[in-house]
Amino acid sequence: MPEWFEMSVVIAFAIAAVFFFAKYRETATALHECERMKKRLSSDLDRYRDVPRLRALRDALISTDQLPVDDDGREHLLVRDSERQLYHVTLNHQAQAVSEGQEVTYRRDGIERLLQELGD
């Protein structure tokens, strides 16, 4: 076999290897980005999956007689946390409407503190 042919074959294989590894890195990067986006979107879906439950909880806490009430007047509900663990919550229901712009405070450690709206 002529020497120039062997060199041509070696150079062709070297160029093919460079293109192969470049394409492999590009594919690996795309798969990594896809996994990252899947995890992010999955956590977003988990958050939005909880929205109807949170709305139902909000409506139950604000309106009257929506939650089950025991003989002592306490209300009961079941709520799942971020790890989907189920919790039993017992409440003494007391809801008061607050007008827009009105500040609501509570006392902790003897100091009056401003109550922030959930989600702020």
Side-chain angles (χ1 to χ4, degrees):
M1 207 184 289
E3 188 175 311
W4 63 269
F5 184 72
E6 289 178 10
M7 287 300 279
S8 299
V9 169
V10 169
I11 290 172
F13 276 117
I15 292 172
V18 167
F19 280 115
F20 171 78
F21 286 117
K23 191 65 173 174
Y24 174 78
R25 280 190 66 195
E26 180 183 322
T27 304
T29 303
L31 285 173
H32 177 72
E33 180 67 16
C34 182
E35 279 296 314
R36 190 185 69 77
M37 290 299 291
K38 185 175 85 173
K39 285 182 183 176
R40 196 188 105 219
L41 292 174
S42 177
S43 66
D44 286 348
L45 283 175
D46 281 345
R47 185 173 57 234
Y48 290 124
R49 186 181 300 135
D50 290 338
V51 168
R53 283 192 201 109
L54 292 173
R55 285 186 182 143
L57 175 60
R58 178 200 61 199
D59 294 342
L61 291 174
I62 293 173
S63 61
T64 57
D65 295 327
Q66 293 250 348
L67 295 173
V69 180
D70 65 10
D71 293 338
D72 297 328
R74 292 178 304 217
E75 295 180 344
H76 300 267
L77 63 120
L78 295 173
V79 180
R80 291 190 185 273
D81 66 359
S82 60
E83 281 116 30
R84 315 307 286 166
Q85 175 66 39
L86 196 60
Y87 288 93
H88 174 216
V89 180
T90 306
L91 304 166
N92 288 326
H93 188 97
Q94 181 182 6
Q96 300 167 347
V98 177
S99 62
E100 195 66 38
Q102 181 181 356
E103 292 183 347
V104 179
T105 59
Y106 65 100
R107 184 174 296 278
R108 184 170 128 200
D109 300 328
I111 300 171
E112 284 287 321
R113 299 175 190 249
L114 185 62
L115 184 62
Q116 296 291 325
E117 184 176 352
L118 224 92
D120 285 349

